[in-house]
Amino acid sequence: VGLDENQGEFRKLSKNQYLIKEGIIGDVDSMDEKTLYDKVQGVMEGIFKQQLKEWMEAFTEAHAKDLGSDDVVQIARAITDNRVAALYLEEDKFHPGRFDISHGSIVEGKSEDQYSGDIYDDMAEAVLSRGGEVVILEKGEMPTDRDIAAVYRF
């Protein structure tokens, strides 16, 4: 957020790797909280839409080359082999059971059993611990009609 005449110079001098291309032009002191929030939301929504498009393209391309899947069993094996670069999970989905990282196996649980665990949570933790990315998406944003998908490293 800054005046138009200051943004160019600031961008030239800044070493901040997280500085986004889109800026909000205006005097931050003259904006109330709601106006600033709305302007930031507009910028962030555009960034998210672009990222979502890239995620969809990455999955489509990977799936076509057998470097991606939306099959939970295949994804489990790929996590065990450290092949998952990105795991896409549908928001608010709970898959009762356990994921055994050492064998790549899934043990289904019962939804009424509060101690059964969550397979998707276990898988997400395993992917993150191996340097992969976990992306949580709304149902309509998933790259397939399933609630899980993955892009493989190799």
Side-chain angles (χ1 to χ4, degrees):
V1 178
L3 299 174
D4 194 26
E5 59 268 19
N6 297 337
Q7 283 200 25
E9 190 63 26
F10 176 79
R11 289 177 184 286
K12 279 194 264 182
L13 297 173
S14 177
K15 305 274 189 255
N16 184 345
Q17 65 184 14
Y18 299 107
L19 186 64
I20 59 175
K21 189 170 107 178
E22 300 81 10
I24 298 172
I25 297 173
D27 180 7
V28 71
D29 294 328
S30 68
M31 293 181 208
D32 63 25
E33 197 172 304
K34 181 175 179 354
T35 301
L36 181 59
Y37 177 82
D38 290 343
K39 288 180 181 277
V40 169
Q41 283 297 104
V43 170
M44 296 309 294
E45 186 176 299
I47 291 170
F48 179 74
K49 283 182 180 177
Q50 178 60 37
Q51 182 66 59
L52 184 59
K53 180 181 173 201
E54 290 170 13
W55 286 326
M56 296 302 148
E57 290 171 356
F59 178 80
T60 301
E61 184 178 323
H63 195 257
K65 297 177 180 176
D66 287 330
L67 291 172
S69 178
D70 62 357
D71 179 88
V72 69
V73 174
Q74 289 179 8
I75 294 169
R77 288 188 196 118
I79 291 171
T80 299
D81 294 340
N82 196 22
R83 293 179 49 221
V84 175
L87 178 68
Y88 305 128
L89 295 171
E90 185 180 318
E91 182 180 49
D92 297 327
K93 277 293 181 176
F94 176 77
H95 197 118
R98 296 262 183 237
F99 167 59
D100 181 353
I101 186 72
S102 59
H103 298 102
S105 60
I106 294 172
V107 178
E108 296 285 340
K110 296 179 181 167
S111 59
E112 62 273 1
D113 181 4
Q114 66 183 14
Y115 301 107
S116 69
D118 182 358
I119 293 168
Y120 290 170
D121 185 57
D122 293 347
M123 293 173 101
E125 287 178 23
V127 168
L128 289 172
S129 73
R130 289 170 155 71
E133 179 180 22
V134 175
V135 181
I136 308 298
L137 299 169
E138 293 179 12
K139 183 177 180 91
E141 297 168 341
M142 289 295 292
T144 73
D145 56 358
R146 296 204 178 164
D147 56 11
I148 188 168
V151 172
Y152 302 150
R153 290 185 174 105
F154 54 90

